[in-house]
Protein backbone atom coordinates (compact mmCIF):
# COMPACT_ATOMS: atom_id res chain seq x y z
CA UNK A 1 0.00 0.00 0.00
CA UNK A 2 1.45 3.35 -1.01
CA UNK A 3 1.09 6.58 0.91
CA UNK A 4 -2.41 8.05 1.10
CA UNK A 5 -4.22 10.85 2.88
CA UNK A 6 -6.31 9.72 5.85
CA UNK A 7 -9.32 11.59 7.14
CA UNK A 8 -9.13 12.08 10.91
CA UNK A 9 -11.66 13.48 13.35
CA UNK A 10 -9.81 14.45 16.51
CA UNK A 11 -11.38 15.69 19.73
CA UNK A 12 -10.07 19.11 20.74
CA UNK A 13 -10.98 20.74 24.02
CA UNK A 14 -10.61 20.57 27.78
CA UNK A 15 -12.62 19.81 30.92
CA UNK A 16 -15.09 22.58 30.05
CA UNK A 17 -15.94 21.13 26.64
CA UNK A 18 -14.77 20.74 23.09
CA UNK A 19 -15.64 19.19 19.77
CA UNK A 20 -14.33 17.03 16.95
CA UNK A 21 -12.19 18.71 14.31
CA UNK A 22 -11.51 17.28 10.87
CA UNK A 23 -8.01 16.88 9.47
CA UNK A 24 -6.37 15.19 6.50
CA UNK A 25 -2.98 13.62 7.25
CA UNK A 26 -0.57 11.60 5.11
CA UNK A 27 -0.18 7.92 6.03
CA UNK A 28 2.72 5.70 4.98
CA UNK A 29 3.10 1.92 5.05
CA UNK A 30 3.48 0.39 8.50
CA UNK A 31 2.41 3.42 10.49
CA UNK A 32 0.29 3.35 13.63
CA UNK A 33 -2.26 5.92 14.79
CA UNK A 34 0.30 7.54 17.11
CA UNK A 35 2.60 8.21 14.11
CA UNK A 36 -0.27 9.96 12.33
CA UNK A 37 -1.21 11.99 15.42
CA UNK A 38 2.42 13.10 15.74
CA UNK A 39 2.44 14.09 12.05
CA UNK A 40 -0.79 16.03 12.60
CA UNK A 41 0.79 17.75 15.61
CA UNK A 42 3.96 18.60 13.64
CA UNK A 43 2.24 19.91 10.50
CA UNK A 44 -1.22 21.27 11.33
CA UNK A 45 -2.04 21.32 15.03
CA UNK A 46 1.08 22.26 16.97
CA UNK A 47 -0.93 22.81 20.14
CA UNK A 48 -2.57 19.35 20.09
CA UNK A 49 -2.10 17.71 23.49
CA UNK A 50 -1.30 14.00 23.33
CA UNK A 51 0.50 11.75 25.80
CA UNK A 52 2.86 8.90 24.98
CA UNK A 53 5.90 7.33 26.54
CA UNK A 54 7.18 3.95 25.39
CA UNK A 55 5.64 3.48 21.90
CA UNK A 56 5.83 -0.25 22.61
CA UNK A 57 2.37 -1.04 23.98
CA UNK A 58 3.61 -1.37 27.56
CA UNK A 59 2.83 1.85 29.42
CA UNK A 60 -0.70 2.73 28.26
CA UNK A 61 0.09 6.45 28.05
CA UNK A 62 -1.26 6.78 24.52
CA UNK A 63 -4.65 5.24 25.33
CA UNK A 64 -7.54 6.79 23.42
CA UNK A 65 -10.81 5.77 21.87
CA UNK A 66 -10.32 5.06 18.20
CA UNK A 67 -13.58 4.75 16.30
CA UNK A 68 -15.33 4.30 19.64
CA UNK A 69 -13.13 1.53 21.02
CA UNK A 70 -10.46 1.92 23.71
CA UNK A 71 -7.08 1.25 22.12
CA UNK A 72 -3.41 2.09 22.34
CA UNK A 73 -2.51 4.54 19.57
CA UNK A 74 1.00 3.06 19.40
CA UNK A 75 -0.34 -0.43 18.67
CA UNK A 76 -3.26 0.36 16.35
CA UNK A 77 -2.07 0.06 12.78
CA UNK A 78 -3.53 2.44 10.24
CA UNK A 79 -3.80 -0.54 7.87
CA UNK A 80 -6.72 -1.81 9.99
CA UNK A 81 -8.82 1.04 8.58
CA UNK A 82 -9.89 1.52 4.99
CA UNK A 83 -8.25 4.37 3.10
CA UNK A 84 -11.67 5.99 2.67
CA UNK A 85 -12.68 5.46 6.34
CA UNK A 86 -12.76 8.41 8.75
CA UNK A 87 -10.69 7.60 11.84
CA UNK A 88 -12.14 9.26 14.93
CA UNK A 89 -9.82 9.74 17.91
CA UNK A 90 -11.22 10.86 21.26
CA UNK A 91 -9.95 10.80 24.85
CA UNK A 92 -10.87 7.79 26.99
CA UNK A 93 -14.34 8.29 28.45
CA UNK A 94 -13.28 6.57 31.67
CA UNK A 95 -11.08 9.43 32.86
CA UNK A 96 -11.55 13.21 33.15
CA UNK A 97 -10.23 15.17 30.18
CA UNK A 98 -7.33 17.52 30.82
CA UNK A 99 -6.88 18.76 27.25
CA UNK A 100 -7.43 17.25 23.82
CA UNK A 101 -6.41 13.57 23.98
CA UNK A 102 -4.80 13.79 27.44
CA UNK A 103 -6.83 12.47 30.37
CA UNK A 104 -6.22 12.63 34.11
CA UNK A 105 -5.03 9.14 35.04
CA UNK A 106 -3.81 10.06 38.53
CA UNK A 107 -6.34 7.54 39.90
CA UNK A 108 -4.26 4.77 38.30
CA UNK A 109 -1.11 5.94 40.09
CA UNK A 110 -2.94 6.20 43.42
CA UNK A 111 -4.17 2.60 43.08
CA UNK A 112 -0.73 1.37 41.99
CA UNK A 113 0.80 2.84 45.16
CA UNK A 114 -1.72 0.85 47.25
CA UNK A 115 -0.58 -2.47 45.81
CA UNK A 116 2.32 -3.97 47.77
CA UNK A 117 5.39 -4.68 45.69
CA UNK A 118 6.29 -8.31 45.05
CA UNK A 119 9.43 -9.56 46.75
CA UNK A 120 10.30 -13.21 46.14
CA UNK A 121 11.47 -15.29 49.06
CA UNK A 122 15.21 -15.76 49.27
CA UNK A 123 14.85 -19.54 48.92
CA UNK A 124 13.13 -19.13 45.55
CA UNK A 125 14.97 -18.89 42.29
CA UNK A 126 14.03 -19.70 38.72
CA UNK A 127 15.93 -22.98 39.07
CA UNK A 128 14.18 -23.99 42.32
CA UNK A 129 11.30 -26.40 41.90
CA UNK A 130 8.42 -26.73 44.31
CA UNK A 131 8.86 -23.15 45.49
CA UNK A 132 5.69 -21.75 47.03
CA UNK A 133 4.14 -18.78 45.23
CA UNK A 134 2.68 -17.33 48.42
CA UNK A 135 3.72 -13.83 49.42
Amino acid sequence: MAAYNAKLRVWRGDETGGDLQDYTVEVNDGEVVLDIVHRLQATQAGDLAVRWNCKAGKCGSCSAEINGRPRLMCMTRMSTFGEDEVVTITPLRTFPVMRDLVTDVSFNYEKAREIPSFTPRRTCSPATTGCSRRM
Side-chain angles (χ1 to χ4, degrees), residues 106-119:
S106 58
F107 175 81
N108 293 4
Y109 295 106
E110 291 169 23
K111 288 298 168 190
R113 278 191 288 274
E114 293 175 11
I115 299 170
S117 60
F118 172 74
T119 306

Side-chain angles (χ1 to χ4, degrees), residues 17-124:
D19 59 0
L20 291 167
Q21 293 187 10
D22 294 326
Y23 298 96
T24 301
V25 183
E26 182 178 312
V27 175
N28 298 301
D29 281 344
E31 290 185 316
V32 295
V33 172
L34 186 60
D35 296 326
I36 306 313
V37 168
H38 282 155
R39 183 168 298 123
L40 169 64
Q41 191 180 45
T43 61
Q44 300 174 53
D47 63 341
L48 175 66
V50 61
R51 182 182 285 143
W52 70 281
N53 189 17
C54 72
K55 201 170 187 272
K58 303 292 183 199
C59 72
S61 295
C62 66
S63 299
E65 293 196 14
I66 303 171
N67 288 357
R69 297 185 63 200
R71 295 180 178 264
L72 296 176
M73 289 191 284
C74 71
M75 299 301 287
T76 305
R77 298 218 166 269
M78 286 299 294
S79 61
T80 62
F81 309 107
E83 289 185 19
D84 58 343
E85 186 175 354
V86 176
V87 178
T88 302
I89 307 167
T90 58
L92 286 176
R93 285 178 253 179
T94 310
F95 300 102
V97 172
M98 295 176 80
R99 197 176 110 217
D100 300 334
L101 301 176
V102 177
T103 56
D104 180 0
V105 294
S106 58
F107 175 81
N108 293 4
Y109 295 106
E110 291 169 23
K111 288 298 168 190
R113 278 191 288 274
E114 293 175 11
I115 299 170
S117 60
F118 172 74
T119 306
R121 294 184 318 183
R122 289 185 177 189
T123 58
C124 289

